[in-house]
Amino acid sequence: MNFYPENYGAVGDGTHNDTFALQACMDACHKNGGGRIILQGGKTYRSGTLVLRSFTELHLEMGATLKASDCLEDFNLFQEKAARPADISVPSYADCTYSGQPTLFFLYAKDSEYISITGSGRIDGNEEIFYGNITHWHIDGSFYPRVPLLFLEHVTHLTIREVTLQRSAFWTTHLVGCNDVLIDGIRILNNLKLANCDGIDPDHCQNVRICNCHLETADDGIVFKNTAGAMQYGPCENITVSNCTIISTSAAIKFGTESEAPFRNIIVRGCTISHSNRGISLMLRDQGCMENLLFSDLTIETRAFAKPFWWGEAEPIALTAVKRREDTRLGCIRNVTFRNILCRGENGIMLYGEDSRCIQDISFDHVSLELLETTDHPKDCRDLRPCAREEQLLPGSPAILFARGARDVIFNHLQAAISEGYAPKVLSAYDLENCSAISMNGQSLC
């Protein structure tokens, strides 16, 4: 059965607040056993928080736009005492501590099943109303955390297909404790300067398929997380990512930094990463372990972005395991395979662990790496942010391989080249310390 918001008072003229009409339409669809809520092409529906219900499909026709309200009070679903969290006292790139639980919402669902968001229309986060400090390379938000575009918690049998998600003010698609998720053919088009605008964040989720998507995001593209505020939902596991194209000012594919529970049985394959500050980044900072991971058939192009705003140093692959706090009981990264990967950019592979227990049993098979300079940004450090260390940016030049605190790492059929003009800045091809059993093309490096 089809349901139209116009039958509940919606105008769709881009200025009228259609929140109550849209919610009434969604509620009626749910109460009548389910169906499709249709936003019609050529119309712009302005809205505050909307609660998605079980057995409903929100369908946006081609040319339809669902745009966030200009009024922050419209997102205060649970009527918190403050209309928004506290203003930022330090930049979010310096302190982005976050439990994973926002207080303001745009599209929201919890404890639901069989929810779909589909169609060729657009969902717009109205980013400008959240702007804080603006520089040439970076826009910080006026407060933190801001409004995620989609926040879906404990939803089973979730589908997001074909829709365009754009101009988000914070994490675009935050999935918490969801099971059986299909995200297929969507576009995420965010401002590449606006901080904290991740693309897709599966957080304590299981049985997830992300395929055929295009993402342009400030901060990270696809990010697997295990936040402290959702431990009841278990690990991030049984996930595939395939045939996606990603542009990111931070990491295109990231695990962490929130890593309180295990990440396991995850495959990333057939993706193209370009114009990113890091390609694949495994950032362990907490007690969970990252294990049984496979990355295959990827092309990765990296470039440096402005420090201090964006984490990373143009590494195509970076594995870091360092304590978030001095008292952190740190997990480990183990049993990870990188296969058939073409890398081109301003830096090489980085492995950095607190000790050699933290990163182990890592395999690189048929990896090609070309180092060349494409920007004038300084390339003079190793970025370990965030961590408990006083010195989080360590001095260092680009290298084909930089490794600290890793063991049982095998490079099979590694091809590496450094462009002639860039060679003087690459002071050492291989920089290893406190490592054991690292071999490259059959030769032991340590």
Side-chain angles (χ1 to χ4, degrees):
M1 185 180 296
N2 293 335
F3 292 79
Y4 294 88
E6 286 77 7
N7 294 334
Y8 299 84
V11 178
D13 61 358
T15 57
H16 186 270
N17 188 329
D18 289 321
T19 304
F20 295 109
L22 289 163
Q23 190 63 63
C25 183
M26 292 177 176
D27 293 346
C29 180
H30 171 68
K31 290 176 182 177
N32 282 276
R36 173 181 275 194
I37 301 105
I38 298 179
L39 305 192
Q40 298 182 67
K43 293 189 174 184
T44 296
Y45 303 81
R46 300 300 299 271
S47 181
T49 304
L50 295 172
V51 180
L52 306 178
R53 307 295 190 188
S54 296
F55 302 103
T56 63
E57 174 186 353
L58 175 62
H59 182 79
L60 293 91
E61 293 181 340
M62 177 68 78
T65 300
L66 176 61
K67 187 173 181 179
S69 168
D70 290 327
C71 181
L72 287 176
E73 286 73 17
D74 289 341
F75 305 106
N76 195 10
L77 174 65
F78 298 109
Q79 299 300 307
E80 299 287 339
K81 291 182 179 180
R84 68 181 197 182
D87 291 348
I88 289 177
S89 57
V90 297
S92 61
Y93 58 79
D95 181 10
C96 61
T97 303
Y98 178 43
S99 69
Q101 298 293 319
T103 57
L104 304 178
F105 305 90
F106 185 20
L107 295 187
Y108 173 88
K110 186 176 181 182
D111 300 331
S112 304
E113 59 182 332
Y114 292 101
I115 288 177
S116 295
I117 302 172
T118 67
S120 299
R122 299 174 294 178
I123 301 176
D124 189 308
N126 196 17
E127 63 175 57
E128 292 89 352
I129 69 169
F130 301 94
Y131 284 1
N133 187 48
I134 301 174
T135 71
H136 179 69
W137 295 106
H138 182 267
I139 302 172
D140 216 340
S142 56
F143 60 93
Y144 186 95
R146 299 182 293 283
V147 180
L149 201 70
L150 306 179
F151 184 87
L152 310 176
E153 181 175 354
H154 195 217
V155 177
T156 305
H157 315 305
L158 169 67
T159 299
I160 306 174
R161 193 192 298 272
E162 296 182 356
V163 68
T164 294
L165 309 177
Q166 65 183 33
R167 297 174 4 97
S168 180
F170 197 59
W171 296 4
T172 308
T173 308
H174 188 184
L175 311 176
V176 182
C178 295
N179 195 335
D180 182 11
V181 177
L182 174 63
I183 300 177
D184 185 5
I186 73 168
R187 296 173 175 87
I188 295 181
L189 306 176
N190 287 339
N191 187 336
L192 291 175
K193 293 183 179 181
L194 183 55
N196 317 119
C197 288
D198 297 355
I200 303 170
D201 294 66
D203 183 358
H204 294 277
C205 291
Q206 297 88 42
N207 305 311
V208 179
R209 291 90 69 209
I210 301 170
C211 53
N212 310 316
C213 299
H214 176 69
L215 289 77
E216 299 179 13
T217 63
D219 263 290
D220 308 306
I222 298 173
V223 197
F224 303 103
K225 294 185 178 292
N226 284 311
T227 55
M231 291 294 285
Q232 69 270 29
Y233 297 122
C236 247
E237 65 181 352
N238 305 335
I239 297 172
T240 63
V241 176
S242 61
N243 304 328
C244 294
T245 52
I246 306 172
I247 296 171
S248 165
T249 46
S250 198
I253 303 284
K254 189 171 95 172
F255 289 60
T257 61
E258 295 86 351
S259 43
E260 293 288 352
F263 304 80
R264 58 190 177 218
N265 308 337
I266 299 175
I267 298 174
V268 178
R269 63 188 172 204
C271 295
T272 296
I273 294 166
S274 62
H275 297 89
S276 295
N277 200 18
R278 276 180 174 158
I280 307 296
S281 182
L282 276 56
M283 301 180 69
L284 182 66
R285 298 295 182 271
D286 305 301
Q287 64 182 338
C289 287
M290 301 177 181
E291 58 189 353
N292 304 340
L293 312 178
L294 172 62
F295 302 88
S296 70
D297 305 302
L298 309 175
T299 63
I300 301 174
E301 177 190 284
T302 59
R303 47 156 290 174
F305 281 81
K307 290 191 293 286
F309 304 123
W310 307 108
W311 296 350
E313 281 291 301
E315 306 95 343
I317 299 170
L319 283 63
T320 58
V322 290
K323 294 180 179 180
R324 185 184 299 278
R325 298 174 302 274
E326 289 293 344
D327 62 350
T328 296
R329 182 179 178 182
L330 192 64
C332 66
I333 301 172
R334 64 191 175 205
N335 196 19
V336 182
T337 298
F338 299 90
R339 179 182 300 144
N340 297 335
I341 300 178
L342 304 177
C343 307
R344 188 173 188 266
E346 296 192 289
N347 211 338
I349 296 167
M350 178 170 76
L351 310 174
Y352 194 103
E354 290 276 354
D355 56 56
S356 60
R357 177 195 66 84
C358 297
I359 299 176
Q360 56 183 287
D361 298 318
I362 313 297
S363 173
F364 295 85
D365 186 13
H366 286 83
V367 173
S368 174
L369 179 61
E370 179 185 2
L371 270 61
L372 73 167
E373 190 168 27
T374 56
T375 74
D376 59 3
H377 293 302
K379 290 166 276 290
D380 55 6
C381 71
R382 316 287 180 194
D383 193 345
L384 300 181
R385 294 176 291 179
C387 66
R389 295 168 176 263
E390 183 176 346
E391 188 178 22
Q392 300 187 38
L393 297 174
L394 306 179
S397 63
I400 291 171
L401 172 62
F402 173 84
R404 296 286 189 277
R407 75 183 190 201
D408 299 317
V409 181
I410 298 174
F411 292 85
N412 182 36
H413 294 290
L414 173 77
Q415 293 183 319
I418 304 171
S419 69
E420 184 177 348
Y422 201 33
K425 298 183 180 181
V426 182
L427 301 182
S428 60
Y430 311 113
D431 188 345
L432 286 73
E433 186 176 299
N434 190 27
C435 297
S436 60
I438 295 184
S439 64
M440 187 169 294
N441 299 334
Q443 300 296 316
S444 176
L445 295 182
C446 65

